[in-house]
Amino acid sequence: MKCLRYSGLLLFGLTACLSAIGQVPDQSSTPNYILRNQDFQDRRLSKTNQNFGSMYYQAHQEVGQIQRHGKAEKHWTPLGPFGKEYLAGIGRVNSVQFHPTDTNTWFICVAQGGLWKTTNAGASWTSLNGDLPILRTSYVAVDPTDANIMYLALGDFAYLGHNLQANENKRNSHYGMGVYKTTDGGQHWKPTGLSFKQTDFEGSLIAKILIHPADSKTVIAVGQTGAYVSKNAGETWSQTSSKLFWDLEQDPNQDSVLFASTGYVHAYQYGEVSILKSTDFGTSWKEAKTPLPRTGKVQRVELAVAPSDNSYVYALACDIAGGFYGFYRSTDGGLNFSTRAESSTYAYNILNWQLDNSPGGQGRYDLAICVDRNDKNKVLTGGVNIWQTTDGGLNFKPVTYWALKYQRLSLHADVHEIVQHPTNNTIFACHDGGLSRSFNVVADNISTLKDDRNPSTSWTEYTQGLNVTSFYRLSVNQENGSELMAGAQDNSTVYTADTAFFNVTGGDGMESVFDDKNFYRYTSAQNGTIWAFFTNNGSFDFDGTIQPPQDEFGEWTTPFVAANNRLYIGYTNLYTANGGFISDKMSDFPLIQGRDYARPTTALAVEKSNGRQIYLGKRGYASDNISNAIWASSDGGKTWKDVGSDLPDDLYPSYLEMNQSDPKEAWITFSGFDKTNKIFHTVDGGTTWKNITFDLPNFPVHCVTHQNDASGYIYVGTDLGVYYLKKDTTAWTPFSTGLPNVIVSELEVDTTDGMLVAATFGRGLWEVELADYSKVPDVGIFNLTKSSVKVEVRPNPVSKSLYLEVHGIEKGIFNSRIIDITGRTVLSKELTLKTPEAEVEYNVSELLPGEYFLILSDGNSRRVSRFVKH
């Protein structure tokens, strides 16, 4: 099927709040990053006061136990996105480091997608995640004497400022596992002595790690619970400060001199703001004299030292709302700081969205500063946008404007780090869309960016080959199997028709739906903003925006489905829509006792043929002892029945799946840490439910889908991996071979091609053959499913010639292809095998360094082998 013509991108902000009309409670003034992470933790809360870290640690042990029962050998392969050509962004990069001797080799820490390396200045990338237990990464330190030795901050530190103590349960949204170390370039990782075993949860997030340039056995790490120094290459650590650290910087001219900032979290009345200096590589600290208030006004401070004159040290501070508070400078080596600009007197808020003086920003989430190597008065600051000062902070001009990103005119929003290349003057920016570089940074007048829309600074993106998008939801067009849409954090909704991806709508992409019967495609953003596109003429023609009705609101990820020739939307009540307009209200659910709004809908399933059978899950608020509610209707929404009496009332109902051939059969999942209550099954329309959790590891379960054929397989996606359950059995089987260790947010069965498709939160889209699925083989094509057939590749890693070895195969014609990490085919070959044992050579010398998959197929099944090209 040809790719649909693309007519007009909807230009919505990447980080601007796309708030719905009449939301209750009011969320219009709450930044997206807070709502996003509140959603993350709400899905995992229960009434019991649990510790996220402890739960994850125990669940990891259970994965090993369940694998002893057996695991499926079918291998997942990536579907993309491609990473550069058609997208505004690919995924958040937290930091970048350079090889100590080879400046064409870079390392990046992806927020949810792990550690990556390029050896050709960003032309291609290789994953270095080896056997890491999770892929949340913040910072990597590379040994200056041996680049195969690295220390990795395992966890997503960007969320420290607003989820340090989430609700009354003191939980982080994106947990960490301390510091891990590799000595073989990332093939294998081991915990250091500073890897918290998920029981000391508050200490699990590390912000930065530095290695002493003259003594590589001396390492320092700072984070939530203080500063830690190791003298024996990470085996043991000593705590040298118990403050909450935000930043750590090294004097470029004095190896043992460090500068650090500590912070205050206003929402929890926690911590104190200060700037510290150490002259013994963190063994002891001395507090600088600054105008910064310790508590109540400032939260986060970022630091930078001028390479051309290390007596100049700069500090950038954000206020309690994430906006600009002040810019400060020391000219005596970080002992005393004076004010250069403060929000009370300065004309602009250099941390907000709109290049003006309106309040707010995201400084707790994105804050960066960099001093030019050759000019101690030239400084770049990063927040939502990048600004520049050339007079040491007295005046600033903007360099980027996020609203121009979709026209490919400026940088992606939310800048987490700004770094100058070690041997030239180019500037790198790590942001929510990936990694970019400018070869000539030039500041502009505000009118040049906002009115003329003609920025002077251009950026080169280095995202080709990075499979690191964080997806919330996906949809596969069951009419053809080639069309796919998926919604991504901070990177919009993407669309492909088996060719390339492009953006359809902006904001945080959420749920999407194909409605081929009415020639519509629907996409959405956070809290229930839905866009309708008419596609009968082969193009995306915008047909209207659906918002929650007055006094209603949508969940962060609002569920909606196409059924019965219309769209069903779960706000606090159930509505139907045709095109871009709401048509009918299908329910009148009660308000929460003591509140003026009803529970929002989190899960929805509707009988597609006639809309008669409906299942609807509504979340509660565990921290306030407000239970969830599960409803069902068998008459198209005319009457509703509470069907939740057999179900847990304190867990987040994450997904509903209906058997469209028998609508009385359905499954519901819950995404909290309750070992015994994860998935339930009904065969009588919800009157009774059977708990089929059985031996699932105690990870949150986010989605369920089923194979609507005689096999009766059920698949679930969790915080770590995919599992399936055979019909009439009680043991779940791991189904994650080749799938990265990231959150699986949605699964869909592609009935056209017999594949299971997964949206992951951090590593893009993936697919695998269904666990038990057989198409009628073509004449002359033989099956690869026999257990006696062995397929492997060697050598691995490979430089020039790759050899495919097959054993025990039946003679016949086979197709083979090599795909890269984005799912793009880079080499294909048809094979005629005449003997059970065979060896086939592939010349891969021209392939760029990176991760690849060789797929051997017979038209009915496939075998997949992963390899790395050096």
Side-chain angles (χ1 to χ4, degrees):
M1 180 177 180
K2 68 174 182 178
C3 182
L4 298 180
R5 295 197 308 276
Y6 177 46
S7 62
L9 176 71
L10 291 181
L11 302 177
F12 299 100
L14 291 172
T15 56
C17 185
L18 295 169
S19 59
I21 296 173
Q23 286 185 2
V24 182
D26 180 24
Q27 298 169 321
S28 60
S29 62
T30 307
N32 278 348
Y33 65 90
I34 293 180
L35 295 174
R36 175 185 306 125
N37 295 293
Q38 187 67 45
D39 173 74
F40 185 101
Q41 66 187 350
D42 283 349
R43 291 170 181 268
R44 293 156 175 80
L45 289 173
S46 68
K47 292 178 182 176
T48 57
N49 188 13
Q50 298 169 324
N51 179 301
F52 274 6
S54 177
M55 294 297 99
Y56 275 107
Y57 180 74
Q58 294 171 19
H60 273 285
Q61 313 308 309
E62 294 169 13
V63 172
Q65 295 171 8
I66 193 173
Q67 284 179 342
R68 285 197 283 269
H69 301 160
K71 62 179 180 178
E73 295 301 330
K74 294 187 177 182
H75 200 292
W76 289 81
T77 53
L79 285 176
F82 295 146
K84 181 178 179 182
E85 301 94 328
Y86 297 89
L87 301 178
I90 194 69
R92 171 157 53 97
V93 173
N94 280 331
S95 61
V96 59
Q97 294 293 317
F98 300 95
H99 191 282
T101 58
D102 179 7
T103 57
N104 285 322
T105 296
W106 316 333
F107 306 86
I108 59 171
C109 285
V110 181
Q112 302 289 320
L115 179 66
W116 294 75
K117 174 183 179 181
T118 177
T119 59
N120 48 23
S124 63
W125 295 89
T126 302
S127 167
L128 300 183
N129 297 314
D131 50 3
L132 284 172
I134 59 173
L135 299 189
R136 297 168 173 83
T137 61
S138 292
Y139 200 84
V140 64
V142 184
D143 192 315
T145 62
D146 183 354
N148 285 316
I149 299 174
M150 291 178 279
Y151 298 84
L152 184 63
L154 207 57
D156 191 0
F157 199 80
Y159 289 117
L160 170 68
H162 45 80
N163 271 311
L164 175 66
Q165 296 175 354
N167 291 333
E168 69 279 6
N169 288 308
K170 301 182 179 180
R171 297 165 175 163
N172 281 303
S173 63
H174 291 250
Y175 66 99
M177 296 184 75
V179 177
Y180 270 56
K181 179 182 178 180
T182 180
T183 58
D184 57 11
Q187 295 182 55
H188 301 91
W189 294 88
K190 291 184 178 181
T192 68
L194 195 59
S195 290
F196 306 86
K197 290 188 176 180
Q198 299 301 307
T199 53
D200 182 11
F201 185 67
E202 289 297 325
S204 66
L205 285 178
I206 298 296
K208 279 197 172 179
I209 309 165
L210 295 177
I211 302 172
H212 197 293
D215 177 12
S216 61
K217 291 186 179 296
T218 299
V219 186
I220 183 173
V222 299
Q224 279 189 208
T225 55
Y228 302 84
V229 176
S230 173
K231 300 288 187 178
N232 52 13
E235 289 186 21
T236 59
W237 302 73
S238 299
Q239 186 179 36
T240 62
S241 173
S242 60
K243 294 179 179 290
L244 187 160
F245 279 72
W246 278 108
D247 193 18
L248 176 69
E249 301 294 334
Q250 188 169 32
D251 189 314
N253 302 313
Q254 299 181 85
D255 291 347
S256 295
V257 176
L258 303 177
F259 302 93
S261 65
T262 66
Y264 167 75
V265 182
H266 174 71
Y268 314 113
Q269 309 291 302
Y270 185 91
E272 288 186 345
V273 174
S274 68
I275 297 176
L276 307 176
K277 181 177 181 179
S278 173
T279 58
D280 52 14
F281 205 74
T283 301
S284 62
W285 299 92
K286 181 178 180 180
E287 186 170 338
K289 294 182 179 180
T290 78
L292 292 166
R294 288 184 178 275
T295 61
K297 294 183 178 181
V298 171
Q299 293 200 86
R300 179 178 178 182
V301 178
E302 289 291 305
L303 305 172
V305 187
S308 62
D309 184 349
N310 61 352
S311 63
Y312 276 57
V313 183
Y314 289 92
L316 172 65
C318 79
D319 61 25
I320 60 174
F324 177 62
Y325 183 86
F327 191 82
Y328 308 90
R329 186 176 75 179
S330 169
T331 58
D332 61 1
L335 298 176
N336 298 276
F337 284 80
S338 60
T339 302
R340 302 294 286 175
E342 281 190 339
S343 59
S344 58
T345 57
Y346 195 63
Y348 302 106
N349 175 2
I350 63 174
L351 298 183
N352 74 3
W353 295 268
Q354 298 297 341
L355 308 183
D356 57 21
N357 200 35
S358 58
Q362 299 189 163
R364 290 168 294 172
Y365 171 68
D366 46 40
L367 196 66
I369 181 171
C370 177
V371 186
D372 185 88
R373 179 181 296 105
N374 304 307
D375 186 344
K376 62 186 179 183
N377 290 305
K378 183 185 289 187
V379 185
L380 293 172
T381 65
V384 176
N385 303 294
I386 292 179
W387 293 65
Q388 183 186 70
T389 176
T390 57
D391 56 14
L394 296 178
N395 298 280
F396 292 86
K397 286 187 174 183
V399 173
T400 69
Y401 183 38
W402 67 272
L404 303 180
K405 176 57 189 172
Y406 278 117
Q407 293 92 350
R408 310 296 192 268
L409 296 177
S410 193
L411 191 71
H412 197 290
D414 303 337
V415 179
H416 297 272
E417 188 175 62
I418 305 172
V419 179
Q420 198 165 24
H421 191 277
T423 59
N424 58 50
N425 295 321
T426 61
I427 295 294
F428 287 81
C430 301
H431 49 74
D432 273 11
L435 176 72
S436 303
R437 173 163 62 165
S438 175
F439 292 84
N440 184 31
V441 172
V442 180
D444 286 309
N445 294 319
I446 290 177
S447 61
T448 301
L449 298 179
K450 297 187 71 171
D451 300 331
D452 300 337
R453 308 176 78 85
N454 186 30
S456 300
T457 302
S458 61
W459 297 87
T460 301
E461 297 182 0
Y462 298 98
T463 55
Q464 184 64 40
L466 285 175
N467 178 227
V468 295
T469 305
S470 294
F471 283 112
Y472 287 108
R473 286 285 186 263
L474 76 99
S475 57
V476 177
N477 191 340
Q478 298 295 345
E479 298 296 321
N480 53 52
S482 62
E483 288 184 90
L484 184 150
M485 290 188 289
Q489 176 192 325
D490 279 328
N491 286 289
S492 319
T493 296
V494 301
Y495 169 90
T496 184
D498 251 0
T499 52
F501 288 85
F502 64 76
N503 293 121
V504 181
T505 44
D508 283 281
M510 297 289 170
E511 185 62 273
S512 56
V513 163
F514 290 96
D515 183 7
D516 270 10
K517 290 184 178 180
N518 296 300
F519 306 106
Y520 276 103
R521 277 92 174 105
Y522 295 93
T523 68
S524 67
Q526 57 270 44
N527 301 122
T529 296
I530 301 171
W531 296 288
F533 295 90
F534 190 69
T535 56
N536 188 34
N537 60 356
S539 64
F540 273 78
D541 296 323
F542 179 60
D543 192 56
T545 302
I546 302 169
Q547 298 275 18
Q550 185 69 30
D551 298 328
E552 299 251 349
F553 65 99
E555 181 68 340
W556 178 253
T557 304
T558 297
F560 55 92
V561 297
N564 193 28
N565 291 315
R566 65 193 72 181
L567 190 72
Y568 288 75
I569 310 167
Y571 291 126
T572 51
N573 279 290
L574 181 66
Y575 289 84
T576 60
N578 291 294
F581 305 93
I582 287 180
S583 55
D584 296 300
K585 183 179 180 180
M586 309 293 289
S587 67
D588 191 16
F589 293 119
L591 303 181
I592 299 172
Q593 186 175 1
R595 305 194 182 191
D596 58 354
Y597 55 90
R599 297 168 177 83
T601 302
T602 60
L604 178 65
V606 181
E607 188 174 356
K608 292 186 177 181
S609 61
N610 55 34
R612 290 190 60 80
Q613 184 69 43
I614 305 171
Y615 301 90
L616 189 145
K618 299 171 77 65
R619 57 134 335 148
Y621 297 88
S623 57
D624 291 335
N625 290 318
I626 297 173
S627 62
N628 57 36
I630 313 300
W631 298 86
S633 173
S634 59
D635 55 11
K638 294 178 182 178
T639 60
W640 291 89
K641 179 182 179 181
D642 184 342
V643 296
S645 60
D646 292 340
L647 300 173
D649 63 0
D650 62 340
L651 299 173
Y652 189 100
S654 54
Y655 209 89
L656 273 160
E657 170 81 351
M658 177 194 295
N659 182 352
Q660 293 295 333
S661 299
D662 180 7
K664 294 296 182 182
E665 182 177 33
W667 299 263
I668 186 170
T669 60
F670 295 89
S671 59
F673 285 100
D674 186 324
K675 185 177 178 63
T676 60
N677 293 300
K678 299 194 172 298
I679 178 169
F680 292 77
H681 177 218
T682 182
V683 293
D684 54 16
T687 300
T688 60
W689 295 87
K690 178 183 178 182
N691 189 336
I692 58 171
T693 302
F694 302 136
D695 59 347
L696 270 176
N698 192 15
F699 289 114
V701 177
H702 304 295
C703 53
V704 56
T705 191
H706 80 292
Q707 208 169 310
N708 194 12
D709 57 22
S711 72
Y713 275 63
I714 306 164
Y715 303 88
V716 295
T718 75
D719 258 18
L720 187 62
V722 175
Y723 300 83
Y724 71 72
L725 182 69
K726 295 181 182 179
K727 190 175 182 178
D728 300 323
T729 67
T730 59
W732 289 86
T733 300
F735 198 45
S736 302
T737 302
L739 190 66
N741 288 341
V742 288
I743 294 169
V744 178
S745 51
E746 187 165 26
L747 295 167
E748 287 212 8
V749 172
D750 176 2
T751 56
T752 303
D753 299 317
M755 306 295 287
L756 182 66
V757 183
T760 74
F761 198 78
R763 285 297 307 274
L765 304 171
W766 292 70
E767 69 174 0
V768 69
E769 284 183 300
L770 293 170
D772 183 10
Y773 183 82
S774 294
K775 294 178 291 184
V776 177
D778 297 333
V779 177
I781 301 298
F782 297 86
N783 206 294
L784 285 169
T785 59
K786 294 182 178 180
S787 60
S788 59
V789 175
K790 305 298 180 185
V791 178
E792 59 183 354
V793 295
R794 61 172 179 84
N796 189 9
V798 62
S799 297
K800 295 180 180 180
S801 292
L802 181 75
Y803 294 93
L804 168 68
E805 292 185 353
V806 292
H807 306 275
I809 202 165
E810 296 184 46
K811 66 180 181 179
I813 300 174
F814 298 83
N815 296 313
S816 68
R817 61 190 178 105
I818 294 175
I819 64 173
D820 64 14
I821 192 63
T822 69
R824 183 174 46 182
T825 299
V826 296
L827 191 155
S828 61
K829 182 184 294 190
E830 185 177 87
L831 308 178
T832 301
L833 303 182
K834 299 180 180 180
T835 61
E837 312 296 317
E839 181 179 89
V840 182
E841 181 181 2
Y842 298 81
N843 183 0
V844 297
S845 59
E846 298 301 318
L847 297 183
L848 293 172
E851 186 175 350
Y852 294 87
F853 301 83
L854 193 155
I855 303 173
L856 182 68
S857 63
D858 61 6
N860 188 42
S861 60
R862 67 180 192 169
R863 291 292 183 95
V864 179
S865 299
R866 175 190 173 274
F867 68 92
V868 174
K869 166 66 168 57
H870 278 175

